[in-house]
Structure formats: structure tokens, C-alpha cells
Amino acid sequence: MSWTKSELFTRSRSLSVIIPTYNESQNITKMLDIVSSCLPPETNAEIIVIDDNSPDGTGEITEEYARKSRDSGGCEIKLITRKDQRGLSSAILAGIRASIGESVVVMDSDFSHPPETIAKMIEELKRSDCDIVVASRYVEGGSITGWPFKRKLISKGATKIAQRSLGIKIKDPMSGFFAFRRHIIRNIKFDAIGYKILLEILVKAKEARVKEIPYNFTDRKSGESKLDRSVISDYIKSVWKLYRYGKSIIERRTSVHFLSKAGRFYTVGASGLLVNYIVSFLFGAVLSNLWYIYATMIGILFSMTSNFILNKIWTFEDRDTSLKRTLLQYGSFLAFSGVGAMFQLGMVYVLVGTEHMSYALALFVSVAVASIGNFILNKRWTFKEKIWS
Ligand code: GDD
Ligand code: MN
């Protein structure tokens, strides 16, 4: 691959403007004129047009325009022509992949998105230290001109669905006009179904800080909208996928929490054995010559107490140390330990006595069952947590 002269001198840019087109021959020239004149000169921007091999010649017009612009030292314009793929989201994604700007702006090519807003978006991106700026029809100052009631209704309905089912906070997640810092999408695996690439970014870049600024959406004057029936079913599909995605993240997080708590609980149990042994030994043989049964009882009490304290503070991270609550928890913890011990005893008795299992195996099975039971009972009742959390 060979580099053009301007690519050799400027291998990185601060801004890329992504413009998807399909049959926009009536709009594209004027659009490129206005967008390039609206870009702040210091941004050293590139414009990327992604055309899905439009039959009306949009690609050829763009190619010609890009050549002239390059020859006259104007704005860098790249054309990507996709011959065997169609679809707005995937076109935008192809544009983003081919772009090199630190910030990226995505917009339509039919003047629904006023190019003058780009400078405001970039300004906001810099000024407010956020990662995504969404040009919004639904914040104060924003509006829609030229849409029939039915389209407004569909747009509002789709917005509500996104907000409710995906936990999206912003007012216009269905916007097709937005800017973002490139780094926020670096770990995203895109599905790119349908129209709504912004929605996918909002769901999958959860940590991103988002701002909305108002703009006036004006329905196109030339050419035709590409929104057809399949857009609605694609929308439902993509929301469902994103919903499942969110759920799977929560599931994964929950199982990590559960397992790490179980791990701590067993570690505490093991430390209890050590405490038990050392304390019993100290009382029985070193400090005083207590009867070994008494010394063992003291050892058990000590280990249960240290187990309780460690589980409260470390395993279940319970910071409420008020006396009443702590004593109630302590009582419940001791009771479950007692129940666990009785259960273990009973189980060994049945497994060895009636089932004729070897003692080693019976002991292993009953200790395992009793300790799992102990963990769950204490999690649920002593420390009042949900079991699966
Ligand atoms: N490359 C490519 N491939 N571009 C496409 C395709 C496609 O399959 N479909 C549409 N486009 C381009 C159009 O040429 C236009 O520049 C832009 O994407 C938006 O298409 P329209 O057909 O004009 O969409 P709209 O006006 O109905 O939808 C608008 O409203 C939505 C908000 O409700 C767009 O602004 C969307 O971006 C926006 O999300
Ligand atoms: Mn449009």
C-alpha cells in the first residue's frame, strides 16, 4: 500500500467525520462543501464517506470531489465503496475503522444534521471532559422539523424502549449525530445490526461520560429516506441482543462475587482450624495444665469467634458493628456452626453405619456438604445477603 502525500505528512489527525451515503447524489456535493467549511481549521480533519455502491452515482461524485479537494490542498476526503454489503450501522463502523482521528463525528448526508453543530460538539468534547457528545433532539432547545406525527411517535416509542430495557439515561439515544473520543470504543465488539450504532456504544462503553447538546433535526429536502419496515424488526433484534449482553455482564459479575465470597469463607474456615489447634495447645499444655477437654472447648470457642469476626469484616464486608446487630449475628453464626457439626456427625453415622462407605470418603462428603450449607445459611440469614450475589 502506498501513502498519499498528505498521509505521509500527517499520519494522525485530531478529527474524523464519518458520513454514510446511499443514493445521496442530490446532497453529497453541497454536503461536502458545507462540512469542510465548518470544520475548525486547527482540527486537521478528514472526512470519510462510506457509500454502498449507490446506483445513483454518489460514489463517483464523491471520488471526483475528493480528487479536486486533494489537488487544491483542501480537506482530506476519503471514499470507501462497499460492493457487497449494505446497512447503516455497518457502514458507519467501516468508516470508523478506516479513520485515524482522535475524535470521531458521525452524521447523515441529507442535511438533517446541521453541519454547524459539529464545531459545538467538538468544543463540548474538549471543554467538559466527557467521552461522548450526543446532538440531541429531546433536550431543551432541541427539536424536529418536518416529521409526520407517526414518525415522531415511533421515535419516541423506540427511545422509551431503549431507556427502560437497557437502562440508558440520556434523552436521545436514537440520535444518529454524535461525537466521541476514539479510545472509548477500543474494547467493544460490535454487532452493528440495524440503524442504531450509538445505542450499542452507549450500552457497551458503560464507563463513558456522555453529554447532550441540542440541535434541530430537519427532514431531508432531497432524495429519499432509507427507513423501511425492516428497520423496526432490526431495532427490536438489536435491543434484545443488547439486553442479553447487559444481563450476561451482570451474571458474570455475580458469579465472580459469589465465588470470591465462598473462597474467603473457606479460607477463614481453614484459619479457624489453626486458631483452634494453637489455642487448645496453649491452654492444655503450655500456659496452664487444664484438662484437655476444657482446653479443646476453649480452642473451639476461640476459633468460632475469630471465624465470625473475619467473616463479618472480610468475607461479607459488613461494616455495621453496632453491638446489638453484632451479638445477634454472633448468636446466629454459632447456632449454624452447631447445626453444621450435628449434621456432619449424623451424616457420617449414616454413610458409614448404614451405607457402608469408607470413613475417609464419608468424612470428606459430610464436611463438604456441611460447609457449603454453612456458607449459604450464614450468607442468607446471619449476614442477610441474597444467596446468589
Ligand atoms: N452506506 C450506507 N448504507 N448509508 C446509508 C444506508 C446504508 O444502507 N442507509 C442509510 N444510509 C445513510 C443515508 O444516505 C443518510 O445519509 C443516513 O444514512 C440516514 O439515512 P436516512 O434514510 O436519511 O435516515 P432517516 O432520516 O430516516 O433516519 C435518521 O433518523 C434517525 C433518528 O431517528 C438518521 O438521522 C439516523 O441516523 C437517525 O438515527
Ligand atoms: Mn434522513
Side-chain angles (χ1 to χ4, degrees), residues 66 93 141 171 178 190 203 208 216 265 286 304 309:
L93 211 56
K171 295 232 163 59
F178 56 96
F190 284 96
V203 171
N216 170 248
F265 190 82
V286 184
M304 281 186 169
I309 295 171

Side-chain angles (χ1 to χ4, degrees), residues 14 40 42-43 103 120-130 133 181:
S14 61
E42 74 280 4
T43 53
S103 301
K120 293 184 197 151
M121 294 159 93
I122 298 304
E123 185 56 36
E124 192 65 35
L125 211 52
K126 279 199 207 127
R127 197 184 59 79
S128 70
D129 201 31
C130 58
V133 173
R181 292 179 206 276

Side-chain angles (χ1 to χ4, degrees), residues 23 34 41 48 72 77 122 128 137 139 144 167 178 187 190 192 199-200 217 241 250 277 296 319 325 337 352:
N23 286 345
I34 299 187
I48 301 192
S72 63
I77 295 166
I122 298 304
S128 70
R137 296 162 291 176
V139 290
I144 299 176
F178 56 96
N187 293 325
F190 284 96
L199 201 58
E200 193 165 351
F217 179 99
K241 268 208 121 160
I250 293 171
Y277 186 85
T296 307
R319 296 280 173 268
R325 179 183 164 95
S337 304
V352 177

Side-chain angles (χ1 to χ4, degrees), residues 21 47-51 58-60 62-63 66 77-81:
T21 57
I47 298 175
I48 301 192
V49 174
I50 312 91
D51 185 65
T58 307
E60 290 76 7
T62 309
E63 184 79 79
I77 295 166
K78 287 184 198 158
L79 170 70
I80 300 174
T81 306

Side-chain angles (χ1 to χ4, degrees), residues 20-24 50-52 82 86-88 91 107-110 112-113 137 147 151 155 174-177 195-196 217 219-220 224-227:
T21 57
Y22 192 73
N23 286 345
E24 302 286 3
I50 312 91
D51 185 65
D52 290 358
R82 304 198 306 167
R86 267 213 62 185
L88 181 52
M107 71 187 300
D108 292 354
S109 59
D110 59 357
S112 287
H113 300 156
R137 296 162 291 176
W147 264 10
R151 259 215 86 169
S155 171
M174 318 300 287
S175 177
F177 193 16
Y195 256 52
K196 302 302 165 193
F217 179 99
D219 198 19
R220 61 163 74 235
E224 278 168 20
S225 169
K226 281 88 207 172
L227 194 106

Side-chain angles (χ1 to χ4, degrees), residues 188-199:
I188 296 184
K189 284 203 188 77
F190 284 96
D191 292 323
I193 312 171
Y195 256 52
K196 302 302 165 193
I197 198 78
L198 173 64
L199 201 58

Side-chain angles (χ1 to χ4, degrees), residues 94-109:
I96 294 174
R97 291 218 172 96
S99 69
I100 52 175
E102 282 159 37
S103 301
V104 178
V105 169
V106 176
M107 71 187 300
D108 292 354
S109 59

